[in-house]
Amino acid sequence: MELSFPERLFRESWGELEAPALDGGWELFMESTGFTVYRLYDQQSGLYEYKVFGGLSDCPPQLCVDVYMDLEYRKQWDQYVKELYEEESERGKFIYWEVKYPFPLSNRDYVCVRECRDLDVAGEKVWVILAKSVTVPQCPEKPGIIRVSSYKQSVAIKSDGKNGSRVFMNYFDNPGGMIPSWLINWAAKSGVPSFLQEMQKACKKYPH
């Protein structure tokens, strides 16, 4: 799998900040703490892809991006991180990330690439971060940990015109294994807003 992203994905991500693309089966899932979440059913997996729209007050865009990209800091504020680091491969840098799952479920791990760009859109600065799962030879699957091979995420961030940020996030994650799809879909309902709340707290505590 390629370790880079096509230009159109960056354009599509920042475009959703101005004109959300919700045709083709997207349905309103929930509204919570300033965020609206839509979902799209994926027949193949029985899971949902999500789009999140909202704002982070008192968190300027550059700060949000710095916190989101800082892997070492993520280990401090994200309680589900077991292992997280960036490494170089022949085709470029990749990230290894092991996520803690509650007993008796096995932990999951990800091998993924991501890219952050700050773009000038009609004289306004917009940051776009893209990530996806990849396969690299030097990072084989580990016994007792389930490898997540189907993961993608895009985030677009811009100023809200005050001291905060407007945020768009699109993601799909199939954790695999023997977890029933209804349980995964149920967990997403609390997982989406709680992650954004934790990130907002992390922004306020970020050691500049």
Side-chain angles (χ1 to χ4, degrees):
M1 186 182 282
E2 282 298 312
L3 301 191
S4 58
F5 299 89
E7 190 70 35
R8 66 173 176 81
L9 291 181
F10 290 93
R11 288 198 305 272
E12 287 172 5
S13 293
W14 64 251
E16 299 243 21
L17 281 171
E18 301 305 326
L22 297 170
D23 295 335
W26 288 94
E27 61 181 25
L28 179 64
F29 177 48
M30 63 180 294
E31 294 179 285
S32 171
T33 58
F35 281 85
T36 305
V37 183
Y38 293 85
R39 67 183 186 178
L40 179 67
Y41 185 67
D42 178 68
Q43 281 193 311
Q44 189 174 350
S45 64
L47 303 175
Y48 287 91
E49 180 178 346
Y50 295 91
K51 286 186 178 182
V52 185
F53 302 88
L56 293 171
S57 58
D58 302 321
C59 297
Q62 183 69 69
L63 174 59
C64 288
V65 173
D66 289 346
V67 168
Y68 193 87
M69 296 296 289
D70 191 330
L71 298 184
E72 287 304 311
Y73 185 49
R74 178 79 177 253
K75 296 175 193 176
Q76 296 176 39
W77 65 265
D78 187 342
Q79 62 179 320
Y80 298 106
V81 171
K82 174 76 183 292
E83 195 174 356
L84 181 61
Y85 59 85
E86 190 171 58
E87 195 170 301
E88 195 80 44
S89 77
E90 290 178 2
R91 295 182 292 156
K93 290 180 179 176
F94 68 89
I95 293 167
Y96 176 80
W97 176 28
E98 183 184 341
V99 178
K100 298 174 192 171
Y101 268 59
F103 180 83
L105 301 175
S106 301
N107 284 359
R108 265 59 178 173
D109 68 1
Y110 299 73
V111 177
C112 55
V113 290
R114 69 176 180 179
E115 184 179 347
C116 177
R117 291 189 192 176
D118 57 88
L119 310 166
D120 186 302
V121 181
E124 190 171 25
K125 200 165 186 179
V126 180
W127 287 260
V128 176
I129 305 161
L130 302 180
K132 65 180 178 182
S133 50
V134 293
T135 302
V136 292
Q138 67 263 56
C139 213
E141 294 184 29
K142 298 179 180 180
I145 301 173
I146 294 175
R147 174 66 47 89
V148 177
S149 58
S150 184
Y151 160 77
K152 67 172 184 177
Q153 186 173 54
S154 60
V155 180
I157 303 172
K158 65 181 277 190
S159 171
D160 65 0
K162 303 172 198 169
N163 194 38
S165 300
R166 285 179 56 202
V167 178
F168 161 72
M169 181 187 293
N170 175 212
Y171 76 94
F172 177 79
D173 184 339
N174 183 353
M178 300 301 290
I179 311 175
S181 58
W182 67 264
L183 181 58
I184 299 167
N185 292 327
W186 173 82
K189 193 156 193 170
S190 61
V192 174
S194 69
F195 169 77
L196 294 165
Q197 286 163 10
E198 288 303 309
M199 186 169 161
Q200 191 161 20
K201 287 184 203 166
C203 286
K204 292 175 180 176
K205 296 177 182 173
Y206 193 51
H208 296 282

